Amino acid sequence: MGLGFRRHGVSFGPWHARVLLGIAAESRSMEHEATVEGVGVGVGDDGAGAPVVLLRAREQYVPIFVSADQAQSMQLAIDEEPFERPLTHDLLIEMLSEFGGAIDRVRIDDLADGTFYAKIDAEQYTGGSRKDAVFDARPSDGIAVALRVDCPIIVDDAVIDAAGQPPEAFETDAETGPFAAEDDLEEESDLDAEDDSDDFEF
């Protein structure tokens, strides 16, 4: 897979998420605000591609490959477009809220053997007391949830060091910059949703 990245959605504009970069909270290192640059298609040498969510931090891009379904879910959240029926991420948030819970933050905290790992920090208030919970998650699910509830996304410094790439490493073109037209991602819609391993590869 090459480093080309083409934009999904001709009407897509810059969308800034509260993405905070830093190492584990207990180390109290400085956290850096970043942006979610968008959802698009990673382009290989043969022109083929797979859906990608692109984070920007410390003047670097961090691409995470996802499934077409996850990419669509993220794009709908970015565009604030409701789906005809609740998607899985919408249903999860609605159920959590109904039981008095809330998402505090999403942490992308590890990258091992080419796969990203994440955790979702949540809270629940019952009887006047607070209960904290941490759930293992795929980064793609965590990001899709975070985009809907506007919670911070925390990315470990070690992940940025390992996966971050300079902007010039991504191909651009005069019309769309480092992104693709909307139908480029729709062509990938037949991808198996279970093939979403949040892999890191070039």
Side-chain angles (χ1 to χ4, degrees):
M1 182 66 65
L3 288 181
F5 186 80
R6 298 181 296 162
R7 183 166 110 190
H8 166 227
V10 293
S11 63
F12 180 82
W15 187 90
H16 293 78
R18 289 185 293 156
V19 184
L20 304 177
L21 284 301
I23 62 177
E26 57 268 24
S27 67
R28 303 300 181 186
S29 69
M30 181 178 294
E31 295 177 336
H32 307 276
E33 186 173 359
T35 60
V36 173
E37 290 295 304
V39 180
V41 178
V43 183
D45 295 336
D46 59 356
V52 180
V53 57
L54 193 66
L55 306 180
R56 179 165 183 163
R58 292 185 344 208
E59 301 304 318
Q60 296 186 77
Y61 287 145
V62 179
I64 302 177
F65 289 85
V66 300
S67 73
D69 288 345
Q70 299 283 28
Q72 181 190 41
S73 179
M74 292 180 199
Q75 190 64 48
L76 288 171
I78 290 171
D79 293 340
E80 298 183 351
E81 294 183 4
F83 202 65
E84 294 179 0
R85 301 180 64 186
L87 297 177
T88 302
H89 300 116
D90 300 309
L91 179 61
L92 171 65
I93 294 168
E94 184 176 348
M95 292 176 64
L96 184 64
S97 177
E98 184 68 23
F99 288 106
I103 303 295
D104 287 334
R105 62 178 184 171
V106 171
R107 292 180 283 134
I108 302 174
D109 60 356
D110 196 13
L111 173 60
D113 297 324
T115 299
F116 290 91
Y117 294 87
K119 292 181 176 63
I120 296 178
D121 294 335
E123 63 182 44
Q124 181 186 32
Y125 285 91
T126 56
S129 61
R130 169 174 167 161
K131 177 182 178 181
D132 295 320
V134 178
F135 302 94
D136 288 328
R138 294 180 298 184
S140 54
D141 287 320
I143 294 170
V145 168
L147 289 171
R148 285 166 165 77
V149 302
D150 192 26
C151 75
I153 301 172
I154 309 296
V155 183
D156 195 283
D157 259 342
V159 174
I160 303 302
D161 291 340
Q165 295 290 322
E168 56 268 23
F170 291 78
E171 298 174 2
T172 62
D173 61 59
E175 294 183 0
T176 63
F179 303 103
E182 186 168 359
D183 55 359
D184 289 327
L185 186 54
E186 292 175 350
E187 291 175 358
E188 301 292 336
S189 61
D190 59 346
L191 289 176
D192 187 350
E194 294 301 318
D195 192 34
D196 178 13
S197 58
D198 294 317
D199 287 341
F200 165 66
E201 59 178 325
F202 296 118

